[in-house]
């Protein structure tokens, strides 16, 4: 199978999209050409697959930057409707990438086109290619688009994104979402007949890079019996403040309760969270900030943690999101604690832990305290912790990539069976 894949983020960029989509393509039994961006703003630390671009052919297109620059760019973000929000700031990159794709198509002659969003410019690029070349097309959504609750857009911007999303949903031969809740959220707006083209493909883990030496522990970590780790960035609504507040509450009630524990953050933590009463009230050796590491090192730290922590943004509704971090935690076969609202993450953590005691909503301080106390008490138990192996297998890389291959085959079959598929898109 010859695949032309589009993912703006790609190895060695250290982003969740680069890691997950790179993993699925790396394990895919196919000939893959990957059209991706080159972005100097992204950290370059995804070092799991040194031979990635021997197995995957790179079609790299540098990002020329946003349509405007400097003060004009900053002013437009504040004052110009639609600028940077429909769907993103990658319009100039998309035009360069389209020109590159059209130059390559006659040589590549792909059997199928696969686009991976976020960012959603990947899907608009695929739509433009599809309308010029009529190649079968699979569109994969790591997050919702118009329905994303964390995108602060105006009513006009929402309507434009909804229009763009509809064009993609209508025209793609196969649609993939990372959770059933995301599928339901997105597809409820569309005709029931379109639903047959939608399916769920979860993230995958891969622990193959954990055989090397572990990163040296700091003195803070080495002096503690249990290390609870959060792997990844904390920024915006993904805040560690509920954890800090709950730790403070536990210490108020029992000053020695956390003497054997350290909570370590591996990755960027926004300084705004550290300049808070919740953080400043904690003892100096209770929370350790390790900073960002290469991917292989962070995965080794996940394998050696006493427990791993998921922190999600609060939500008034059930969360549809499946964080790739959570799937990788399961692959590490460690206990997982979640400060996450009810929804996809909480359900999976409960399945992994064998009960709901391992989760608490971010906006319920008492529940976070109870979750931490239950988790800490369980760490004192005998034996080596292990979750259900069938759940580990559900997210294994060969299984997920094998399912992706099946969906690509479905897209090809559906397109060939419906030569008038382009008419689905409508206006």
């Amino acid at each position: 199978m010859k695949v032309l894949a589009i993912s703006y983020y790609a190895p060695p960029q250290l982003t969740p999209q680069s890691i997950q989509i790179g993993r699925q393509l790396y394990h895919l039994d196919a000939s893959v050409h990957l059209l991706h961006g080159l972005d100097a703003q992204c950290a370059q630390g995804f070092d799991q697959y040194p031979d990635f671009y021997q197995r995957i052919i790179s079609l790299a297109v540098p990002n020329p930057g946003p349509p405007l620059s400097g003060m004009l760019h900053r002013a437009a973000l504040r004052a110009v409707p639609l600028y940077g929000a429909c769907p993103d700031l990658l319009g100039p990159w998309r035009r360069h990438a389209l020109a590159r794709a059209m130059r390559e198509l006659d040589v590549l002659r792909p059997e199928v086109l696969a686009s991976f969003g976020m960012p959603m410019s990947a899907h608009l690029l695929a739509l433009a290619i599809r309308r010029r070349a009529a190649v079968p097309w699979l569109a994969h959504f790591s997050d919702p688009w118009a329905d994303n609750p964390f995108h602060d857009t105006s009513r006009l911007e929402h309507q434009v994104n909804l229009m763009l999303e509809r064009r993609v949903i209508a025209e793609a031969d196969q649609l993939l979402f990372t959770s059933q809740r995301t599928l339901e959220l997105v597809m409820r707006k569309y005709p029931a007949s379109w639903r047959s083209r939608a399916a769920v493909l979860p993230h995958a883990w891969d622990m193959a890079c954990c055989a090397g030496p572990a990163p040296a522990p700091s003195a803070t970590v080495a002096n503690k019996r249990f290390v609870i780790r959060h792997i990844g960035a904390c920024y915006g609504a993904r805040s560690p403040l509920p954890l800090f507040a709950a730790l403070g509450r536990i210490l108020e009630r029992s000053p020695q309760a956390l003497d054997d524990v350290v909570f370590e953050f591996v990755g960027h933590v926004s300084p705004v969270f550290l300049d808070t009463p919740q953080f400043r009230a904690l003892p100096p050796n209770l929370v350790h900030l390790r900073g960002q590491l290469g991917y292989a090192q962070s995965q080794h730290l996940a394998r050696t943690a006493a427990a791993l922590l998921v922190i999600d943004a609060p939500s008034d509704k059930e969360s549809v999101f499946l964080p790739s971090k959570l799937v990788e935690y399961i692959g590490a076969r460690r206990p997982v604690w979640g400060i996450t609202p009810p929804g996809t993450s909480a359900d999976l953590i409960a399945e992994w832990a064998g009960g709901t005691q391992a989760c608490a909503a971010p906006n319920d301080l008492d529940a976070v305290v109870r979750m931490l106390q239950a988790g800490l008490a369980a760490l004192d138990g005998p034996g080596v912790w292990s979750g259900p192996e069938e759940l580990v297998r559900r997210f294994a890389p060969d299984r997920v990539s094998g399912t992706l291959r099946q969906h690509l085959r479905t897209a090809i079959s559906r397109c060939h069976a419906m030569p008038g598929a382009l008419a689905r898109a409508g206006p």
Side-chain angles (χ1 to χ4, degrees):
M1 182 189 301
K2 295 178 68 174
V3 182
L4 175 57
I6 301 172
S7 178
Y8 178 77
Y9 295 114
Q13 294 176 356
L14 192 60
T15 69
Q17 183 79 353
S18 170
I19 293 166
Q20 282 301 321
I21 303 310
R23 175 167 299 147
Q24 292 183 20
L25 296 178
Y26 183 84
H27 289 280
L28 185 66
D29 181 16
S31 173
V32 180
H33 287 70
L34 176 59
L35 186 62
H36 63 95
L38 290 178
D39 194 331
Q41 302 301 314
C42 291
Q44 309 290 301
F46 183 34
D47 51 3
Q48 181 166 31
Y49 304 122
D51 61 338
F52 184 84
Y53 288 114
Q54 298 170 27
R55 187 175 299 199
I56 307 296
I57 304 302
S58 169
L59 302 176
V61 178
N63 181 5
L68 302 174
S69 61
M71 293 180 60
L72 286 176
H73 170 69
R74 292 190 290 273
L77 285 174
R78 293 192 302 270
V80 177
L82 308 184
Y83 182 79
C86 297
D88 46 51
L89 287 166
L90 293 176
W93 176 83
R94 199 165 66 237
R95 290 189 289 274
H96 285 258
L98 177 60
R100 175 71 184 275
M102 299 314 297
R103 290 196 301 269
E104 300 282 353
L105 274 180
D106 287 341
V107 177
L108 299 180
R109 296 189 180 277
E111 296 174 66
V112 63
L113 176 65
S115 57
F116 299 89
M118 300 281 295
M120 298 309 176
S121 268
H123 295 318
L124 297 184
L125 174 57
L127 177 63
I129 296 170
R130 161 65 171 248
R131 290 184 168 177
R132 288 162 173 78
V135 63
W137 174 23
L138 177 148
H140 176 286
F141 294 81
S142 296
D143 289 332
W145 186 341
D147 301 293
N148 194 319
F150 300 117
H151 287 181
D152 184 17
T153 56
S154 68
R155 183 178 181 84
L156 174 61
E157 290 165 342
H158 175 75
Q159 290 302 313
V160 173
N161 278 310
L162 192 59
M163 176 191 66
L164 296 173
E165 178 193 280
R166 183 181 180 89
R167 291 175 180 173
V168 170
I169 296 291
E171 198 155 326
D173 297 294
Q174 182 68 19
L175 305 163
L176 295 180
F177 303 92
T178 57
S179 76
Q180 187 64 37
R181 281 187 174 88
T182 305
L183 186 155
E184 299 288 345
L185 175 68
V186 174
M187 296 306 296
R188 68 185 179 183
K189 309 186 296 292
Y190 299 115
S193 59
W194 294 9
R195 199 181 185 87
S196 63
R197 293 183 284 115
V200 173
L201 184 75
H203 301 302
W205 55 265
D206 190 350
M207 291 292 126
C209 67
C210 291
S218 69
T220 301
V221 172
N223 292 335
K224 298 292 184 176
R225 184 179 175 194
F226 299 113
V227 182
I228 316 301
R229 289 193 171 106
H230 177 277
I231 313 290
C234 289
Y235 60 94
R238 187 177 288 116
S239 167
L241 293 184
L243 171 67
F244 298 159
L247 293 175
R249 179 74 61 84
I250 291 172
L251 290 172
E252 288 175 4
R253 298 172 179 174
S254 179
Q256 285 78 44
L258 302 175
D259 284 353
D260 290 338
V261 181
V262 62
F263 287 80
E264 183 173 67
F265 286 81
V266 181
H268 174 73
V269 177
S270 177
V272 69
F273 300 135
L274 308 179
D275 187 23
T276 59
Q278 295 94 325
F279 180 73
R280 291 195 297 267
L282 298 177
N285 291 333
L286 181 58
V287 175
H288 180 239
L289 306 174
R290 187 181 276 264
Q292 190 171 71
L293 300 175
Y295 183 78
Q297 287 185 308
S298 67
Q299 288 300 89
H300 202 121
L301 289 172
R303 288 290 296 270
T304 57
L308 294 164
L309 187 63
V310 171
I311 296 177
D312 286 330
S315 176
D316 294 332
K317 301 177 181 178
E318 285 194 346
S319 173
V320 304
F321 295 93
L322 174 63
S324 56
K325 171 195 300 126
L326 172 53
V327 171
E328 293 183 325
Y329 285 0
I330 289 173
R333 292 173 168 84
R334 303 307 304 139
V336 177
W337 305 349
I339 302 177
T340 184
T344 300
S345 288
D347 289 350
L348 184 55
I349 293 172
E351 188 177 359
W352 181 240
T356 59
Q357 72 283 353
C359 262
N363 51 5
D364 187 341
L365 178 58
D366 290 337
V368 177
V369 169
R370 290 193 299 270
M371 181 274 291
L372 292 174
Q373 290 174 326
L376 292 167
L379 293 179
D380 289 326
V384 177
W385 189 92
S386 179
E389 192 62 26
E390 64 272 17
L391 191 54
V392 176
R393 182 62 192 154
R394 184 190 305 171
F395 303 107
D398 58 334
R399 182 169 182 173
V400 173
S401 290
T403 304
L404 173 59
R405 179 182 169 84
Q406 294 172 14
H407 288 304
L408 289 167
R409 284 290 181 201
T410 298
I412 295 170
S413 300
R414 184 172 285 130
C415 182
H416 291 165
M418 299 179 62
L422 291 179
R424 282 199 301 259

